[in-house]
Amino acid sequence: MIICFDIGGTTIKVAEAYSADKVIPKGRVATPVDDFDAFIAVLRSQIAQANTAPEVVAFSMAGVLDPETGVATMANIPCLTGRKLEQELAQILGLPVVLANDADCFALAEATVGAGRGHDVVFGLILGTGVGGGVVVRGELINGNGGFAGEIGHGPVAQRVIDDPAVTLPAFACGCGQSGCLDAVCSARGLERLHQHLHGVTEDSKRIVADWEAGEALARHTIDVWIAILAGPLAVMENMLGAGIVAVGGGMSNSTALIEALDVAVRARSLRKFDRPLIVPAQCPIEPGLVGAAILGLQRQKTIAA
């Protein structure tokens, strides 16, 4: 059995896994973001409550590991930042540990049991509180470690001068420290920032999308700009990767109409001409962070057994 943790800035989700399609959620607890000892106590408590002793502990985490040093950067969990986290957790828990970026785990879950099944190359795109991504090639993460590959949300690539609709935008500041990132303008919070900039109206992202679906003029203009900004970089990503499918998760993927509109725009801009949808909502039936962590943990278990 593999015990899996999906570590977010608010909650820790827990599951026991026996195979990629047998991942059993066991609930969630609050994340101790500022107290490492309290964080470890939560892990130990959940492991002790497991039905059987786990052979591997696998983590999906909202952050990245430096691929050369192993040092973690977890923006929303300060007590984990700056640590050689995989190594420390293995020593403290006394068990083999696998740790991966949450977007990578999402992509792996979608490639294995979700929308990407049957495709050699799968790009998992997160459109939620942030914009993120992960890449899976023939069932394996393209990242050996780290979690950087596929992170389309960061870097000054957001288009600022748009022809249709005609708009000139500032380079919005991003939480990563740069300006002009997709994350700063195309995430849920970014959509709200964009709407406020264009119309001087403060509105929740869910309401903006709902108003767009209802044909409201201001929301329609905002979403047109949002699609124009996001579609170009996604088309470039598609040209680079040759993904057979782009599975979209995060809160904004809940609008099927929004994902369909984005799909049409990206396919119009990419070199390969698809006669079917390329960008589709995620389909993994269980929390993909837990499923992706389970897959990585099971792979580590096989390596140990061999």
Side-chain angles (χ1 to χ4, degrees):
M1 188 272 286
I2 306 300
I3 192 163
C4 310
F5 294 98
D6 186 353
I7 311 294
T10 303
T11 59
I12 298 174
K13 301 168 189 171
V14 189
E16 295 177 10
Y18 301 86
S19 65
D21 54 4
K22 189 179 179 183
V23 179
I24 304 169
K26 292 294 181 177
R28 62 182 67 194
V29 294
T31 306
V33 297
D34 295 311
D35 187 334
F36 186 68
D37 290 338
F39 177 82
I40 294 299
V42 168
L43 301 184
R44 283 178 167 156
S45 173
Q46 294 300 315
I47 292 170
Q49 294 174 44
N51 289 332
T52 58
E55 298 176 40
V56 175
V57 185
F59 294 87
S60 166
M61 306 190 78
V64 293
L65 301 178
D66 186 296
E68 295 182 359
T69 67
V71 173
T73 301
M74 310 284 173
N76 296 321
I77 313 174
C79 72
L80 304 184
T81 293
R83 297 177 179 272
K84 294 187 176 181
L85 198 56
E86 191 167 281
Q87 178 181 323
E88 282 194 49
L89 291 175
Q91 290 174 346
I92 292 169
L93 299 175
L95 288 164
V97 164
V98 179
L99 194 153
N101 170 263
D102 56 352
D104 279 356
C105 287
F106 165 76
L108 187 58
E110 284 299 315
T112 306
V113 296
R117 285 172 294 179
H119 294 278
D120 279 350
V121 182
V122 176
F123 181 52
L125 173 66
I126 305 292
L127 293 176
T129 304
V131 176
V135 185
V136 177
V137 178
R138 298 179 186 89
E140 300 285 342
L141 284 170
I142 197 170
N143 279 317
N145 52 26
F148 290 93
E151 284 295 344
I152 192 172
H154 298 286
V157 299
Q159 186 176 347
R160 296 174 55 194
V161 179
I162 300 165
D163 295 326
D164 186 18
V167 170
T168 299
L169 299 171
F172 292 108
C174 182
C176 74
Q178 300 191 81
S179 298
C181 296
L182 290 178
D183 192 288
V185 70
C186 292
S187 64
R189 302 292 81 77
L191 178 64
E192 294 164 3
R193 182 182 294 114
L194 179 64
H195 193 67
Q196 204 284 329
H197 175 80
L198 292 173
H199 307 299
V201 177
T202 300
E203 196 67 84
D204 177 81
S205 61
K206 293 180 181 178
R207 172 52 56 189
I208 296 169
V209 173
D211 287 348
W212 169 76
E213 290 177 339
E216 194 272 331
L218 297 185
R220 188 169 64 245
H221 182 231
T222 298
I223 295 296
D224 285 349
V225 174
W226 181 85
I227 288 174
I229 295 168
L230 184 55
L234 284 178
V236 171
M237 180 71 81
E238 172 59 26
N239 291 345
M240 291 174 64
L241 296 176
I245 208 80
V246 177
V248 187
M252 296 181 73
S253 70
N254 293 329
S255 171
T256 301
L258 183 66
I259 301 307
E260 288 175 349
L262 181 62
D263 171 60
V264 169
V266 173
R267 286 193 284 135
R269 290 162 169 80
S270 60
L271 285 175
R272 180 180 175 186
K273 300 306 176 187
F274 290 85
D275 58 2
R276 58 167 177 82
L278 167 67
I279 298 180
V280 300
Q283 295 178 7
C284 184
I286 301 171
E287 287 283 352
L290 291 172
V291 174
I295 294 166
L296 293 172
L298 291 162
Q299 290 173 354
R300 175 65 64 85
Q301 182 188 43
K302 289 179 181 178
T303 300
I304 294 170

